[in-house]
Amino acid sequence: MINSLICRIEYVSPAKFVNLRAVAHPCENVQMESRPEPDKVWLELLDNDTNWWAGNPVFRASYEHPALRALFPRPSHGTLRFYRTAWSWPDTPAHDLPLIACGGPPYQVISAGYERIIGLAATAEEAAELVVENLPSDLATP
């Protein structure tokens, strides 16, 4: 049992600018939300047909590669990024893995930190393979 205080945001004004107030409430039996598994995050992305990445072959090709399926995907600014841990704001994980610019073909595979273009790939499958070839040695095989 956990006795702690959590904050609830209450709407306190119908004015043009919304005023919010944090109110502390004692709670018991607070359950911490578990971290998602990479596969769950992948499936949510692949099932989403309303965002810019819907139908982009880079996502399906990356998911089909076991080494990339073991990582957490995150679409951002026209790219598909890969992370070792789940994304949770404001505790963003380190971005130390290659990414794919999804505007191809050809697809650019870019090193972490945009330091250099690793290479160009004619297909989404080749782009995924190029990412895997450039993963740190501890991640290359799931």
Side-chain angles (χ1 to χ4, degrees):
M1 182 184 315
I2 299 174
N3 284 324
S4 64
L5 297 177
I6 61 171
C7 290
R8 182 180 77 209
I9 304 299
E10 291 185 351
Y11 179 75
V12 294
S13 172
K16 181 176 180 183
F17 297 101
V18 176
N19 294 316
L20 298 176
R21 168 181 66 182
V23 180
H25 294 278
C27 293
E28 292 184 10
N29 298 325
V30 174
Q31 298 291 323
M32 296 299 290
E33 198 173 301
S34 65
R35 294 278 224 186
E37 293 298 318
D39 200 54
K40 179 181 178 192
V41 176
W42 275 108
L43 294 175
E44 287 173 0
L45 283 177
L46 294 172
D47 289 343
N48 186 323
D49 61 355
T50 61
N51 287 308
W52 66 263
W53 61 82
N56 190 303
V58 166
F59 287 76
R60 180 64 59 191
S62 297
Y63 175 73
E64 290 173 359
H65 201 292
L68 298 180
R69 189 170 49 244
L71 299 172
F72 289 88
R74 179 150 172 88
S76 178
H77 299 86
T79 66
L80 175 57
R81 297 168 183 250
F82 304 95
Y83 293 93
R84 298 168 187 258
T85 60
W87 181 276
S88 64
W89 186 261
D91 300 323
T92 59
H95 183 235
D96 61 347
L97 304 176
L99 60 99
I100 302 172
C102 298
Y107 300 99
Q108 291 183 356
V109 176
I110 304 167
S111 65
Y114 294 95
E115 293 174 357
R116 65 185 174 89
I117 295 175
I118 294 171
L120 298 176
T123 67
E125 292 78 15
E126 290 175 13
E129 189 59 40
L130 197 51
V131 169
V132 172
E133 290 171 6
N134 287 276
L135 287 174
S137 59
D138 63 323
L139 293 177
T141 52

